[in-house]
Amino acid sequence: MSTCTASHSTSSPVSASRAAQQRVEELIERFSLQGRADELAGFLSHGEQRRLEIAVALAARPRLLLLDEPTQGMSHADTQDTEALIRDLAAEGLSILLVEHDVELVMNLSDHVVVMHQGAKLAEGRPQAVRADPAVQAAYFGEAAHA
């Protein structure tokens, strides 16, 4: 993807139609890429590249968005922006499967959490219940979290 521009990445190969072009423009604006739309993706900042990846996934108007560590390596500000984007997408009715190691991000965004540990399910449920689960506390926060 680093050799494509943002406007090219979010369009399909058959995107000659006006509707497709409007979708590209909508996604570029929504993901704050307007000023960089004609630059090669490889020249975008890390946060912009990650937002572009999500925009590309949304170009096909999926009902389920799969996100694998969407904020990995991002600055705090980029993480906050991405969190807001994900929250907005969910509020619009898009189902999102989020795989993420940032516990706070997961707890802030999710209405249902499954915690995996060493390849097995450790806990499942509402974020508050999962956070309080003794097995989750021990595995992710150490025994000191009980004190």
Side-chain angles (χ1 to χ4, degrees):
M1 179 178 311
S2 63
T3 59
C4 295
T5 64
S7 58
H8 178 260
S9 296
T10 53
S11 61
S12 68
V14 198
S15 66
S17 74
R18 181 67 190 136
Q21 186 58 38
Q22 283 180 297
R23 179 71 175 153
V24 169
E25 291 169 9
E26 169 190 316
L27 289 168
I28 286 171
E29 182 176 337
R30 179 171 198 169
F31 286 84
S32 302
L33 296 168
Q34 309 91 311
R36 313 283 310 265
D38 293 324
E39 291 188 39
L40 293 177
F43 292 115
L44 301 176
S45 72
H46 179 71
E48 290 168 331
Q49 287 179 13
R50 299 307 302 253
R51 287 196 312 272
L52 177 59
E53 291 170 1
I54 297 170
V56 168
L58 292 173
R61 298 184 189 273
R63 293 184 308 191
L64 173 63
L65 180 63
L66 307 174
L67 296 174
D68 186 10
E69 304 222 18
T71 62
Q72 181 182 21
M74 282 189 179
S75 68
H76 182 69
D78 282 338
T79 297
Q80 288 181 317
D81 291 345
T82 302
E83 179 178 345
L85 284 168
I86 293 169
R87 182 175 285 110
D88 291 346
L89 293 169
E92 292 167 11
L94 182 63
S95 295
I96 300 172
L97 175 63
L98 176 67
V99 176
E100 180 63 65
H101 285 90
D102 182 334
V103 174
E104 289 306 313
L105 180 75
V106 170
M107 296 301 175
N108 290 341
L109 287 174
S110 303
D111 53 12
H112 188 86
V113 176
V114 176
V115 176
M116 302 294 293
H117 183 66
Q118 297 180 345
K121 183 169 73 170
L122 185 62
E124 179 176 1
R126 306 273 310 149
Q128 301 83 357
V130 169
R131 183 190 295 271
D133 186 291
V136 172
Q137 288 287 319
Y140 286 93
F141 304 111
E143 293 300 322
H146 294 278

